[in-house]
Amino acid sequence: MKASLKGRYETDKDRGVAAATVAFNAGDVKLGASLTDATVVNGPSLNGLALAVEKPGFFIVDYNVPKKDFRFQFMNSVRFADKPLNLTYIHSRGDNRTILEGTLVFDSANKVSANHVLGSGNCKLKYTYVHGGLTTFEQWYDLAKNSWDFAVSRKVYGDDMFRASYQTSSKALALEWSRNSKINGDFKIQAALNLAEELRVPKLTAESTWNFEM
């Protein structure tokens, strides 16, 4: 059985948020449950409680207990022009929203993706290039907004990664430092800044995750 504990703090909200998840294998299927501090603050409740069933590479079913809402995700991989094409179907029953995603992997360094929300006319195209296995360049084109988004990230010292992203439509700039460590846990620190605002005050977010084997 695996468990994780996550803590998150945002400067604009001036408070911390805690969450915990528990998952275990039942054959080739994973069962999980997650809760937030809203589940236990002011007495036990169903707020923030979610359940999940997952068969890796095939499907994920999430159930939001207080909202009584299901989210279904199905994955499959086929060959297109002798290249792997990964397909994903996502449907949220509560807001009746369906998303189709596809990723065509040309090689270990190049891949293109598409994301479409059915009935919205919204489609996003993405190209990802990995240079030398350490530096990743990403660019998105949003057909609905007719805008581009960009991101670049680089792995350093093995477990650390630095990432910068910019959204042209909202003029949102973000800088991020993250670390994935099996020994000391994971953490992420992000500074986000909206360049369109007259008062440009960065929003700082710190997040830590500890994983346990039970």
Side-chain angles (χ1 to χ4, degrees):
M1 180 183 295
K2 296 182 178 180
S4 66
L5 179 63
K6 177 182 292 185
R8 180 183 178 93
Y9 182 81
E10 300 178 2
T11 54
D12 62 334
K13 296 181 180 179
D14 195 28
R15 65 181 295 266
V17 177
T21 62
V22 177
F24 60 91
N25 295 326
D28 57 354
V29 175
K30 292 183 178 180
L31 304 178
S34 62
L35 54 87
T36 67
D37 52 359
T39 313
V40 295
V41 172
N42 299 324
S45 70
L46 297 179
N47 294 329
L49 179 62
L51 306 175
V53 179
E54 175 184 0
K55 185 174 183 180
F58 291 92
F59 68 82
I60 302 174
V61 179
D62 295 312
Y63 179 62
N64 188 311
V65 176
K67 295 182 179 180
K68 299 180 180 180
D69 182 22
F70 281 96
R71 179 181 180 273
F72 302 92
Q73 179 173 329
F74 299 96
M75 299 84 79
N76 194 12
S77 182
V78 298
R79 305 291 294 186
F80 177 79
D82 203 32
K83 304 293 183 181
L85 175 61
N86 303 319
L87 303 172
T88 304
Y89 170 91
I90 303 172
H91 178 73
S92 298
R93 196 183 69 171
D95 54 8
N96 194 27
R97 189 167 182 249
T98 301
I99 301 174
L100 300 179
E101 296 180 348
T103 300
L104 182 62
V105 182
F106 292 98
D107 51 43
S108 59
N110 298 275
K111 64 182 179 181
V112 293
S113 306
N115 176 293
H116 175 60
V117 180
L118 290 183
S120 69
N122 185 11
C123 182
K124 294 181 180 180
L125 304 176
K126 178 183 178 182
Y127 170 66
T128 303
Y129 169 68
V130 181
H131 180 71
L134 297 176
T135 305
T136 302
F137 299 91
E138 302 168 280
Q139 56 183 10
W140 298 261
Y141 178 66
D142 191 321
L143 275 69
K145 297 180 180 179
N146 189 27
S147 65
W148 290 89
D149 299 333
F150 304 92
V152 59
S153 58
R154 181 172 176 82
K155 294 181 180 179
V156 294
Y157 307 119
D159 296 329
D160 291 48
M161 177 177 290
F162 292 94
R163 187 175 189 268
S165 63
Y166 180 69
Q167 299 178 4
T168 59
S169 60
S170 59
K171 295 184 178 180
L173 174 67
L175 302 176
E176 181 181 300
W177 172 31
S178 61
R179 174 180 294 172
N180 296 321
S181 173
K182 295 181 179 180
I183 300 176
N184 300 316
D186 307 337
F187 76 81
K188 180 171 66 176
I189 300 175
Q190 184 187 72
L193 184 66
N194 191 332
L195 301 180
E197 295 179 349
E198 183 176 352
L199 183 60
R200 298 175 180 175
V201 179
K203 170 188 173 182
L204 302 178
T205 303
E207 182 177 294
S208 294
T209 303
W210 297 269
N211 300 307
F212 309 94
E213 291 281 353
M214 302 176 63

